[in-house]
């Protein structure tokens, strides 16, 4: 097994083995880009190391030594050399980029002697000691897990004592003192000095990077981003170049397009006389890349050309890290850039217009899940005019509108959010330890750092509203206060955060629906051309239906009739029905309910016109309609004009031990056939009303929770006979279908029997998952999280389809159903219908459509197109 590849040996396709960073460094090397040379230790070597848990094996050490020798030859420098001194960085890099999650160490190769050589070679003592103190800190933290703060305290004290603001103001003498004190930290914490042997430094650094694959923040990040745990990280060892060697040097990051809005412009930040993480750490606020155009026009021009070339080469927007050493440009990293949904749809459309990508390929550059941020509300502009400003000096780091109570640390953010509060996380700057809190927060605010700071990058990745670098804020994280020019805020106070403008406001501001977006419309247009699955919505209110139609839903996959029963006047009617003592009383109640339902369904058909509408007959467990507790019973008894104790007895007698598996779904239809007939009749009467205007209305009546052929035949025949009578009486000819909601394992297995009578299937994936696992969805919270933490389950099966059993049941049902009716229309109306990963499976299985909540329609549409494009 080959464990080490020189940059010259790899290419961009080898991400599995070399990690994203390593593969792209190799690719850029072969393209002739100015990349400091080096080599990559494979992810396989990492996995081998983690598995064996016995330290670096000798074979690997040998390979590393060989690779170092080659690097020494290429770079014409050597470790410990007194004129051509080689220093390297040791950089982590997994297949999928996990920014800031794992560790990187710079300036390896320095020790007490080599620092003197470096000072002499460069004639720059300050620079040499600056590199050394950085190495001591990073190495101590990464390899020996010494808390950063132990080093920071020393550095900050020297700055304070000398009244200095910035690191770059430290003199060589200050830095020498700092180095001495840092070395004392090693003695104190570890009882041994910083290792002087360069190879020993490298081996330990490689081990530490390997191990960092399993550090807590990396694990959390992988969980949040659905990244598998078994990929491992590669390690890149690369010749150092120095952005901290003076005023003609610097380091920066840039995007080839604006990652917030997609505008075609070079977008980035850099710092002169700085190294590595200085830019993203938010200690100094970096300056815009545009300043480089004035300061070093040739370098700016070179960057422009190189980045254009890179963007075309990768056919995607690039996120690039660069360093300038004495006016010479080096590219240290490139990868496809993370972007907001707004930017993603613009860039996709622009790439097609610029001839860089075809529409199908362009669609694949957009993260379907991220689209939700485009569809969600923004602050009402009228209300904004009157709102009291906290500050308008923040950077619009990640668009959106968020309101919540401010908290000053990630743990509180999570606790409060778990308790159901909306929170805004306010920090000087965020670090990878804050990830969980950031994920819980509604919005994120920082007082330091730029558009590419940790907070900004992570928030954009999460699709979370963020205002960064709001320098007017004086945050005291210990006292939990936020002072701003107009006053002081305490933990728990409410603010509103506008990530689109960078403004912060006092209190809660009302929001308005997400605005029109031409680029999104274009993306959805293309998506409809490529998708094989049609996208319907689950909806019953006018508002939801209008939204779904706006987003391009081609039908309704699920009207939940019970949602219409929960209004006060209707609830009384249904209660009367359920509690009535004889059929004639029941009939009176039903007449009232029928009128309500006709009203509701008519609105739906009017809005939907010729688009198909699936109406599910009553599904909810009985008990949901019955009064609970003595007070409610008293109230209902008086509404129904019966004796409370009698009502109490009746309610008691209808009580079920396990209502979710009790008297519900078509079982209600079996025991109260008049209820289902009334509903079916209401559907047809509404359809007739709308059809009068010449509209070919398409009602589809769905029977829920079927688990036997006899149930279906029984109910369907009754419905057909009844509706025929209704239509004949009205002398109307109307087509309608009766189908089955497939949501029990038994229904899947007898799908061939069901298909004989069913005119369509629709999978109810919530119940199907419940019944397949035997998990009650409403109670699963208690153990599911633990299962996910312990890896008992890889994913929550209520959020993404269980690709073993539940998927197989769906496949069986499709196969058996279509063995009877080749063209049987089969959809999904459970929550999984809006989940991109599940949609991939539904596409592969060959379903006709998925149905999801209106706001997820665009997400499902794009996901369906992507599945079709990938599997084409
Ligand atoms: P991350 O994955 O967290 O971005 P990197 O490995 O990219 O970590 O390293 C972070 C930064 O360190 C880089 O952006 C670059 O500025 C600096 N760096 C890494 N290797 C070198 C090097 N060989 N020479 C100069 N700077 C380097
Ligand atoms: Mg990097
Ligand atoms: Mg169900």
């Amino acid at each position: 097994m080959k464990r080490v590849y020189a940059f010259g040996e790899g290419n961009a396709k080898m991400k599995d083995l070399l990690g994203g960073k390593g593969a792209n460094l190799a690719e850029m090397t072969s393209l002739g880009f100015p990349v400091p040379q080096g080599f990559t230790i494979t992810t396989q070597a990492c996995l081998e190391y983690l598995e064996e848990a016995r330290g670096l094996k000798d074979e690997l050490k040998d390979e590393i030594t060989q690779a170092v020798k080659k690097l020494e030859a290429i770079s014409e420098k050597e470790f410990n050399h007194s004129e051509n001194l080689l220093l390297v960085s040791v950089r982590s890099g997994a297949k999928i980029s996990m920014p800031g999650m794992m560790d990187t160490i710079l300036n390896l190769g320095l020790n007490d002697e080599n620092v003197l050589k470096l000072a002499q070679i460069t004639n720059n003592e300050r620079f040499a000691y600056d590199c050394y103190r950085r190495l001591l800190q990073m190495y101590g933290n990464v390899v020996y897990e010494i808390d950063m703060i132990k080093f920071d305290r020393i550095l900050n004290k020297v700055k304070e004592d000398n009244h200095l603001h910035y690191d770059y103001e430290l003199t060589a003498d200050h830095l020498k003192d700092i180095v001495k004190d840092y070395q004392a930290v090693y003695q104190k914490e570890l009882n041994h000095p910083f290792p002087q042997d360069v190879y020993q430094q490298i081996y330990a650094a490689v081990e530490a990077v390997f191990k960092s694959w399993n550090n807590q923040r990396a694990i959390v990040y992988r969980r949040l981003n659905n990244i598998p745990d078994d990929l491992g990280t590669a390690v890149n060892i690369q010749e150092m170049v120095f952005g901290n060697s003076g005023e003609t040097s610097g380091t920066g990051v840039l995007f080839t397009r604006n990652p917030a809005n997609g505008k075609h412009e070079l977008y980035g930040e850099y710092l002169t006389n700085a190294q590595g993480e200085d830019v993203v750490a938010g200690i100094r606020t970096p300056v815009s890349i545009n300043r480089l155009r004035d300061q070093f026009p040739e370098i700016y021009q070179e960057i422009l050309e190189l980045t254009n070339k890179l963007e075309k080469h990768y056919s995607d927007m690039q996120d690039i890290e660069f360093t300038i050493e004495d006016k010479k440009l080096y590219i240290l990293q490139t990868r496809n850039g993370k972007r907001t949904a707004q930017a993603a749809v613009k860039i996709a459309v622009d790439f097609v217009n610029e001839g860089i990508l075809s529409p199908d390929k362009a669609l694949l550059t957009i993260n379907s899940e991220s689209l939700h941020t485009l569809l969600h509300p923004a602050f009402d502009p009228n209300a904004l005019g009157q709102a009291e400003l906290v500050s308008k000096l923040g950077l619009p780091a990640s668009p959106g509108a968020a309101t919540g109570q401010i908290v000053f640390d990630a743990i509180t953010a999570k606790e409060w959010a778990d308790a159901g509060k909306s929170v805004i996380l306010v920090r000087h700057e965020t670090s990878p330890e804050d990830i969980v809190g950031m994920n819980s927060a509604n919005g994120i605010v920082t007082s330091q750092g730029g558009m590419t700071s940790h907070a900004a990058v992570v928030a954009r990745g999460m699709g979370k509203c963020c205002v960064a670098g709001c320098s007017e804020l004086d945050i005291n994280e210990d006292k939990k206060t936020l002072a701003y020019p107009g006053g002081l805020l305490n933990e728990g106070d409410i603010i509103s955060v506008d990530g689109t403008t960078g403004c912060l406001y006092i209190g809660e501001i009302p929001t308005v629906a997400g605005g029109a977006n031409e680029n999104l419309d274009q993306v959805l247009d293309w998506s409809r051309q490529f998708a094989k699955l049609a996208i319907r919505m689950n909806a019953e209110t006018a508002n939801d239906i209008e939204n779904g139609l706006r987003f391009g839903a081609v039908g309704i996959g699920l009207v939940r009739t019970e949602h219409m029963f929960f209004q006060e006047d209707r609830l009384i009617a249904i209660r009367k029905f359920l509690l009535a003592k004889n059929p004639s009383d029941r009939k009176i109640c039903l007449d009232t309910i029928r009128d309500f339902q006709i009203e509701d369904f008519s609105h739906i058909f009017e809005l939907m016109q010729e688009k198909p509408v699936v109406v599910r007959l009553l599904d909810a467990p009985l008990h949901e309609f019955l009064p609970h507790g003595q007070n409610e019973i008293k109230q209902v008894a008086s509404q129904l004009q019966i004796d409370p104790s009698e009502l109490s007895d009746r309610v008691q007698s209808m009580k079920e031990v396990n209502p979710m598996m009790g008297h519900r779904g078509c079982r209600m239809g079996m025991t109260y056939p008049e209820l289902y007939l009334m509903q079916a009749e209401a559907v047809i009467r509404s359809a007739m009303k709308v059809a009068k205007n010449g509209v070919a209305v398409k009602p589809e009546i769905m029977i829920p929770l079927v688990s036997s052929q006899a149930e279906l035949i029984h109910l369907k025949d009754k419905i057909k006979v009844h509706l025929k009578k209704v239509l004949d009486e009205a002398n109307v000819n109307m087509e309608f279908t009766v189908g089955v909601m497939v949501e029990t394992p038994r229904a899947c297995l007898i799908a061939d029997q069901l298909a004989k009578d069913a005119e369509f299937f629709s999978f109810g994936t919530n119940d199907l998952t419940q019944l397949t696992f035997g998990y009650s969805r409403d109670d699963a919270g208690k153990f599911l999280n633990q299962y996910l933490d312990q890896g008992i389950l890889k994913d929550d099966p209520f959020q993404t389809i269980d690709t073993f059993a539940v998927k197989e049941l769906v496949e069986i049902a499709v196969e058996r159903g279509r063995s009877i009716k080749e063209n049987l229309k089969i959809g999904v109306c459970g929550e999984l219908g809006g989940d991109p990963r599940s949609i991939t499976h539904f596409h592969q299985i060959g379903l006709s459509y998925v149905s999801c909540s209106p706001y997820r329609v665009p997400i499902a549409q794009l996901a369906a197109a992507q599945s079709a494009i990938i599997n084409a």
Side-chain angles (χ1 to χ4, degrees):
M1 169 164 133
K2 181 173 163 67
R3 296 182 184 83
V4 176
Y5 288 75
F7 289 171
E9 294 177 303
N11 64 56
K13 294 205 181 76
M14 295 167 72
K15 290 204 172 80
D16 283 336
L17 197 59
L18 304 181
K21 197 180 286 169
N24 286 330
L25 284 167
E27 183 86 2
M28 288 193 291
T29 297
S30 67
L31 289 171
F33 276 67
V35 174
Q37 282 307 290
F39 55 89
T40 305
I41 304 167
T42 65
T43 54
Q44 259 175 21
C46 170
L47 293 176
E48 183 182 58
Y49 168 87
L50 292 174
E51 204 166 291
E52 290 178 355
R54 268 192 278 124
L56 288 195
K57 45 175 6 144
D58 289 339
E59 290 100 312
L60 179 55
K61 286 187 185 168
D62 288 346
E63 273 192 72
I64 293 174
T65 314
Q66 293 309 316
V68 167
K69 297 281 173 235
K70 281 192 202 144
L71 178 59
E72 285 179 330
I74 296 175
S75 65
E76 298 178 350
K77 290 180 183 166
E78 264 174 45
F79 281 148
N80 305 317
H81 198 281
S82 49
E83 277 147 37
N84 299 307
L85 180 66
L86 176 65
L87 301 185
V88 295
S89 60
V90 172
R91 315 173 64 189
S92 63
K95 174 186 176 187
I96 301 167
S97 122
M98 299 165 54
M101 285 305 117
M102 291 182 302
D103 297 314
T104 284
I105 306 175
L106 307 181
N107 309 328
L108 261 103
L110 282 178
N111 55 25
D112 293 352
E113 279 177 33
N114 289 344
V115 70
L116 299 173
K117 294 177 198 161
L118 185 63
Q120 191 151 43
I121 295 166
T122 56
N123 195 19
N124 189 342
E125 206 178 25
R126 186 202 172 278
F127 159 71
Y129 280 92
D130 186 51
C131 290
Y132 199 23
R133 63 99 185 168
R134 289 171 189 268
L135 170 62
L136 287 168
Q137 174 161 14
M138 277 184 268
Y139 194 91
N141 179 255
V142 175
V143 176
Y144 296 119
E145 293 171 19
I146 303 174
D147 201 334
M148 281 285 190
I149 201 140
K150 302 228 158 87
F151 298 106
D152 281 340
R153 275 202 199 110
I154 294 169
L155 188 101
N156 288 336
K157 174 137 197 326
V158 175
K159 284 204 288 195
E160 258 166 46
D161 290 350
N162 295 285
H163 310 290
L164 303 177
H165 259 309
Y166 296 110
D167 298 356
Y168 63 83
E169 295 168 331
L170 293 164
T171 64
D173 285 338
H174 295 145
L175 288 163
K176 276 188 197 167
D177 288 342
I178 290 170
V179 161
K180 241 188 235 127
D181 289 348
Y182 277 13
Q183 288 180 319
V185 172
Y186 276 72
Q187 275 302 348
K188 178 149 177 269
E189 297 293 319
L190 308 169
N191 259 327
H192 65 72
F194 170 72
Q196 298 289 309
D197 180 88
V198 177
Y199 278 99
Q200 196 192 330
Q201 289 175 7
I202 290 198
Y203 297 147
V206 169
E207 271 200 80
V209 173
F210 279 167
K211 278 193 217 148
S212 73
W213 176 254
N214 281 330
N215 72 29
Q216 201 50 37
R217 56 182 209 244
I219 291 172
V220 171
Y221 186 89
R222 290 200 291 273
R223 174 79 38 80
L224 290 174
N225 292 280
N226 287 322
I227 300 171
D229 284 323
D230 57 1
L231 300 176
T233 180
V235 183
N236 303 286
I237 297 190
Q238 186 176 29
E239 179 190 351
M240 282 300 300
V241 290
F242 299 99
N244 58 333
S245 64
E247 289 307 309
T248 52
S249 302
T251 181
V253 293
L254 64 86
F255 292 87
T256 53
R257 314 228 163 184
N258 185 316
N261 61 26
K263 217 168 136 201
H264 192 171
E265 63 188 3
L266 213 51
Y267 182 91
E269 296 165 328
Y270 82 108
L271 280 174
T272 47
N273 200 3
Q275 189 176 56
E277 304 289 78
D278 291 0
V279 186
V280 285
I283 299 163
R284 273 156 71 188
T285 298
V287 298
S288 159
I289 194 85
N290 294 326
R291 286 272 287 281
L292 200 61
R293 187 165 39 197
D294 311 327
Q295 277 182 320
F296 305 110
E298 313 85 51
I299 296 181
Y300 183 83
Q301 202 51 39
E302 193 185 350
I303 289 185
L304 205 59
E305 278 160 28
L306 285 181
T307 53
N308 269 333
K309 225 162 113 185
L310 273 181
E311 191 177 74
K312 288 224 171 69
H313 182 74
Y314 285 101
S315 303
D316 204 342
M317 181 257 247
Q318 295 297 295
D319 169 354
I320 294 163
E321 297 174 6
F322 66 93
T323 284
I324 300 164
E325 178 181 330
D326 273 334
K327 295 196 176 181
K328 164 122 186 58
L329 174 70
Y330 295 94
I331 307 286
L332 288 169
Q333 185 169 350
T334 192
R335 61 183 164 219
N336 295 342
K338 288 210 166 39
R339 64 207 83 171
T340 64
Q342 193 191 345
V345 294
K346 173 155 173 54
I347 290 171
V349 172
D350 286 352
F351 269 31
V352 173
N353 291 337
E354 290 166 30
I356 298 176
L357 286 177
S358 54
D360 54 339
K361 295 276 162 25
L363 290 181
L364 295 181
T365 64
I366 307 169
N367 174 345
S368 58
E369 192 64 51
S370 75
L371 292 184
H372 79 90
T373 55
L374 282 183
L375 315 170
H376 278 292
F379 288 128
D380 177 353
N382 295 326
L384 270 191
Q386 285 146 37
E388 184 186 337
L389 264 178
V390 174
S391 170
K392 56 178 178 185
L393 296 189
L395 302 169
S398 180
T403 295
Q405 294 178 276
I406 57 174
V407 297
F408 295 91
D409 64 285
I411 294 171
T412 313
K414 168 131 178 43
E415 280 172 7
W416 287 25
D418 286 349
K421 296 181 184 172
S422 299
V423 300
I424 304 291
L425 179 62
V426 179
R427 307 276 293 158
H428 290 296
E429 65 211 29
T430 61
S431 70
E433 284 78 27
D434 293 327
I435 290 277
V436 173
M438 296 171 78
N439 192 48
S440 303
N442 250 13
I444 296 152
V445 175
T446 64
S447 59
Q448 297 172 5
M451 292 292 280
T452 49
S453 63
H454 180 265
V457 171
V458 173
R460 282 196 293 270
M462 290 177 169
K464 198 146 281 196
C465 162
C466 173
V467 168
C470 189
S471 52
E472 265 188 331
L473 306 181
D474 187 359
I475 297 169
N476 189 323
E477 289 176 0
D478 296 329
K479 288 197 186 135
K480 304 184 185 237
T481 58
L482 187 173
Y484 64 101
L488 186 82
L489 293 167
N490 292 297
E491 185 177 66
D493 290 347
I494 295 177
I495 64 168
S496 290
V497 180
D498 192 334
T500 316
T501 60
C503 295
L504 306 173
Y505 304 89
I506 301 285
E508 184 174 347
I509 299 170
T511 52
V512 291
N517 183 321
E518 281 171 27
N519 294 315
L520 177 63
D521 292 344
Q522 175 65 75
V523 162
L524 292 178
D525 236 31
W526 284 329
S527 296
R528 276 186 287 275
Q529 290 168 30
F530 290 103
K532 297 275 189 304
L533 285 166
I535 313 298
R536 295 195 187 185
M537 59 178 142
N538 299 347
E540 46 275 323
T541 66
N543 193 15
D544 273 356
I545 292 173
E546 276 160 6
N547 269 324
L549 288 174
R550 185 158 69 99
F551 296 141
V554 295
I556 294 185
L558 182 63
V559 170
R560 289 151 294 203
T561 47
E562 53 274 4
H563 283 203
M564 305 167 157
F565 284 4
F566 289 122
Q567 286 167 30
E568 187 69 29
D569 45 356
R570 300 164 183 215
L571 199 53
I572 296 176
I574 186 87
R575 279 170 171 167
K576 275 190 183 156
F577 168 80
L578 292 170
L579 297 164
K581 289 194 195 117
N582 57 58
S584 70
D585 282 359
R586 273 208 195 112
K587 183 162 181 322
I588 298 170
C589 306
L590 280 184
D591 288 341
T592 325
I593 304 174
R594 183 192 300 111
D595 292 341
F596 283 136
Q597 296 244 281
I598 290 176
E599 200 184 309
D600 292 331
F601 295 145
S602 303
H603 283 311
I604 294 177
F605 288 124
E606 261 158 35
L607 288 167
M608 295 303 291
Q609 298 281 305
E610 315 214 329
K611 297 189 174 74
V613 175
V614 174
V615 178
R616 177 177 68 184
L617 302 179
L618 198 67
D619 175 54
L622 251 189
H623 76 112
E624 286 191 15
F625 298 110
L626 295 175
H628 303 280
Q630 284 312 311
N631 279 340
E632 227 186 344
I633 287 186
K634 253 191 223 142
Q635 205 184 340
V636 172
S638 88
Q639 281 168 346
L640 302 182
Q641 294 168 335
I642 54 173
D643 180 51
S645 70
E646 187 193 334
L647 177 61
S648 181
D649 287 348
R650 299 266 300 152
V651 170
Q652 196 58 36
S653 75
M654 290 169 124
K655 206 166 166 174
E656 292 175 302
V657 175
N658 192 346
M660 285 312 280
M661 295 171 86
H663 196 182
R664 61 174 283 225
C666 69
R667 298 157 210 164
M668 289 259 273
M670 295 296 287
T671 46
Y672 302 105
E674 61 274 41
L675 190 66
Y676 268 23
L677 294 183
M678 173 280 290
Q679 287 198 297
E681 182 182 328
V683 170
I684 288 304
R685 287 198 187 280
S686 319
M688 287 193 318
K689 260 170 70 180
V690 177
K692 263 200 200 117
N693 310 324
V695 182
V697 185
K698 294 200 183 57
E700 305 183 335
I701 296 169
M702 181 158 74
I703 306 176
L705 223 65
V706 169
S707 58
S708 76
Q709 186 183 20
E711 275 172 340
L712 172 61
I713 294 175
H714 185 92
L715 289 169
K716 183 196 157 192
D717 286 352
K718 270 203 170 138
I719 291 170
K720 285 268 171 178
V721 168
H722 184 68
L723 294 187
K724 182 165 185 320
K725 207 172 92 201
V726 173
L727 287 168
D728 285 351
E729 270 168 23
N731 200 13
V732 169
N733 202 351
M734 169 177 291
E735 278 184 29
F736 68 92
T737 54
V738 177
V740 168
M741 186 147 170
V742 179
E743 51 186 336
T744 67
R746 193 170 195 278
C748 294
L749 298 178
I750 61 160
D752 43 352
Q753 297 172 15
L754 297 178
K756 290 184 184 135
D757 289 275
E759 289 165 293
F760 64 87
F761 282 176
S762 178
F763 288 101
T765 48
N766 295 343
D767 269 306
L768 187 56
T769 303
Q770 257 196 145
L771 296 169
T772 301
F773 278 86
Y775 295 163
S776 155
R777 186 178 186 218
D778 302 319
D779 300 314
K782 297 196 180 74
F783 56 85
L784 258 185
N785 282 338
Q786 193 187 332
Y787 273 28
L788 293 169
D789 284 342
Q790 293 178 346
I792 308 282
L793 284 176
K794 264 181 87 178
D795 293 294
D796 178 347
F798 293 107
Q799 278 173 23
T800 195
I801 190 167
D802 159 43
T803 50
F804 295 96
V806 177
K807 181 180 173 186
E808 190 173 352
L809 283 168
V810 171
E811 283 169 331
I812 289 172
V814 169
E815 190 196 309
R816 295 189 184 169
R818 290 205 174 134
S819 75
I820 302 297
K821 285 191 183 138
E822 204 183 326
N823 294 319
L824 188 64
K825 183 155 57 166
I826 306 181
V828 171
C829 61
E831 226 136 312
L832 301 184
D835 167 57
R837 283 197 287 163
S838 307
I839 286 172
T840 309
H841 296 287
F842 297 140
H843 166 85
Q844 282 167 356
I845 296 170
L847 299 190
S848 323
Y849 69 85
V850 293
S851 187
C852 56
S853 87
Y855 274 106
R856 294 197 73 82
V857 165
I859 296 168
Q861 185 69 72
L862 177 57
Q866 290 173 337
S867 307
I869 292 163
I870 290 167
N871 294 299

